[in-house]
Amino acid sequence: MKQIKKLIIFTLVCLTLTSCNSKTTDTTNDTSENPTANNDEPQSRDVFAMDTYMTLTAYGNNADEALNEAEAEIERLDALLSTGDENSEIYALNQNGTGTISEDTEILLDESEKLYTDTDGVFDITIYPVMDAWGFTTQNYRIPSDAELTELLKNVDASRIQYNKDEKKVTLPDDVKIDFGGIAKGYTSSKIMDIYKKCKVTSGMVSLGGNVQLLGAKPDGSSWRIAVQSPDDTNDYLGVLEAKDKAVITSGGYERYFEENGTTYHHIIDPATGYPARSGLKSVTIVSDDGTLADGLSTSLFIMGKEKACDFWKEHSDKFDMILMTDDNELYVSEGIADVFSSDLTTNIVKK
């Protein structure tokens, strides 16, 4: 009998002065009702969008205004980038095979192209039809045949996307469809940071599923403490990272999966095989100034596996750091964050 499981979880649990999950409403101070609220008290907002539970937290006189704008921005980007919403720009592009794109889509297309090149095709937004065949886009899970995957993989190649920058027009080859799901949440969290800064928020964070992005430090000047969840136990964590002004984004096969005949099939698809990646890694956490980059790399390094991920980090160590957990329960941390990451587990330091 087929068993289907889907976990909607916060991969990163925020250890702050107050809670940073769906319970933050217990400590929220609404400035619309309490205009003299202390600047050190957080304003929080819970949102469900992009198939993810999100929590926004901000400090400062304009925190409530910032949260209103951030929530509106999340809803706008969700409507713009959804592959399932018939009114979205991406849905129309996939259906028509061509179209004029917005500034946001142009940015995401450019970032996707860079990631595709840097990862040698591991990050590929044209994997969408393969994801759909597995049912991860609809939750109608199934195991595609080898023949079906072979046929679908013929059209997985982001380098074939044509883009006329002058006309802002994208043209997709026949049977090619795209999905920015691999970087959309990271891009969204970065946009929220821009809103926070514009509204002069002094400290803040956003948690979008497995994505956490931080603005500044906590109000007392100390670093935020982010617990990186264990891929084996949603009530446990691998360790705690101290960070300021960073995106901390985790990917793992435990986030979304189904089981059939005793085998687990997760949603992180290897574009080289069309099957869920079996790289020897359970989870990958990326720490970077850039939320979009961190989002894309968390998935890409998961597919690469430990050795290739470490080599990739050595070549790009100026842009990100990483935390890897292997199937053998070995923990690897890049040296750039080794001094600010603590764990009860034995930690292997990856050096340049």
Side-chain angles (χ1 to χ4, degrees):
M1 179 178 178
K2 186 174 181 179
Q3 292 182 317
I4 298 176
K5 297 181 180 179
K6 180 180 179 183
L7 300 181
I8 302 177
I9 58 174
F10 287 111
T11 309
L12 300 178
V13 180
C14 304
L15 299 182
T16 63
L17 296 176
T18 61
S19 164
C20 186
N21 53 34
S22 58
K23 298 180 180 178
T24 51
T25 51
D26 294 340
T27 56
T28 297
N29 292 317
D30 188 344
T31 55
S32 64
E33 297 179 3
N34 181 16
T36 60
N38 191 316
N39 290 351
D40 289 340
E41 292 298 319
Q43 307 295 309
S44 294
R45 189 77 50 83
D46 294 320
V47 180
F48 183 81
M50 300 181 177
D51 293 325
T52 301
Y53 289 103
M54 308 178 181
T55 297
L56 315 176
T57 303
Y59 295 79
N61 288 332
N62 300 321
D64 198 56
E65 174 190 350
L67 294 180
N68 288 336
E69 290 192 26
E71 184 174 0
E73 180 69 352
I74 290 171
E75 293 172 353
R76 184 186 72 83
L77 290 172
D78 191 14
L80 179 76
L81 302 174
S82 170
T83 57
D85 183 347
E86 295 183 2
N87 297 312
S88 82
E89 186 172 288
I90 301 306
Y91 181 91
L93 181 59
N94 283 337
Q95 293 300 309
N96 300 328
T98 187
T100 302
I101 60 174
S102 63
E103 180 181 358
D104 292 292
T105 300
E106 183 180 28
I107 292 171
L108 286 167
L109 188 64
D110 184 59
E111 292 299 319
S112 297
E113 182 181 0
K114 292 176 183 176
L115 281 163
Y116 175 83
T117 301
D118 289 346
T119 63
D120 293 326
V122 173
F123 185 89
D124 194 324
I125 58 174
T126 63
I127 195 68
Y128 177 70
V130 179
M131 295 282 292
D132 192 48
W134 282 93
F136 287 113
T137 62
T138 61
Q139 298 183 42
N140 296 319
Y141 302 115
R142 56 185 284 268
I143 302 173
S145 68
D146 289 343
E148 182 181 1
L149 289 175
T150 298
E151 192 65 25
L152 288 171
L153 287 173
K154 292 178 181 179
N155 298 309
V156 177
D157 184 354
S159 67
R160 297 173 60 204
I161 298 172
Q162 299 175 29
Y163 179 50
N164 185 317
K165 289 191 176 182
D166 293 332
E167 298 179 3
K168 295 189 180 301
K169 183 178 180 180
V170 170
T171 301
L172 304 177
D174 291 343
D175 299 319
V176 171
K177 295 184 179 182
I178 65 172
D179 179 12
F180 290 118
I183 55 173
K185 292 185 181 70
Y187 178 71
T188 299
S189 64
S190 291
K191 294 281 283 185
I192 292 172
M193 293 300 105
D194 292 340
I195 289 171
Y196 281 2
K197 292 173 185 176
K198 179 177 70 73
C199 292
K200 302 188 186 308
V201 166
T202 54
S203 300
M205 70 162 62
V206 55
S207 176
L208 304 124
N211 298 24
V212 168
Q213 191 152 353
L214 310 167
L215 174 66
K218 292 195 292 186
D220 64 2
S222 63
S223 297
W224 302 95
R225 289 169 53 82
I226 308 299
V228 181
Q229 185 181 299
S230 167
D232 299 317
D233 185 350
T234 58
N235 296 315
D236 197 7
Y237 51 91
L238 299 179
V240 177
L241 177 74
E242 297 183 14
K244 303 176 182 179
D245 279 320
K246 295 290 184 183
V248 185
I249 296 179
T250 296
S251 288
Y254 58 89
E255 296 173 302
R256 191 152 42 110
Y257 66 92
F258 69 95
E259 294 179 356
E260 186 166 315
N261 298 326
T263 300
T264 299
Y265 299 91
H266 62 71
H267 74 293
I268 304 179
I269 304 297
D270 185 344
T273 66
Y275 277 87
R278 305 296 181 191
S279 66
L281 291 176
K282 287 183 180 180
S283 71
V284 172
T285 298
I286 302 296
V287 182
S288 175
D289 296 334
D290 184 341
T292 309
L293 177 69
D295 203 4
L297 288 183
S298 65
T299 301
S300 300
L301 268 60
F302 183 93
I303 295 171
M304 289 181 189
K306 181 179 75 70
E307 295 302 327
K308 290 183 179 179
C310 290
D311 290 341
F312 187 89
W313 171 78
K314 291 174 184 177
E315 295 177 5
H316 303 86
S317 59
D318 59 322
K319 295 183 178 179
F320 74 97
D321 278 288
M322 64 182 186
I323 302 167
L324 311 177
M325 171 57 78
T326 71
D327 290 343
D328 297 328
N329 294 318
E330 292 190 358
L331 187 63
Y332 293 84
V333 179
S334 58
E335 63 179 338
I337 54 172
D339 291 339
V340 291
F341 179 75
S342 57
S343 176
D344 292 335
L345 303 174
T346 300
T347 303
N348 301 285
I349 308 301
V350 182
K351 298 182 179 180
K352 298 177 187 177

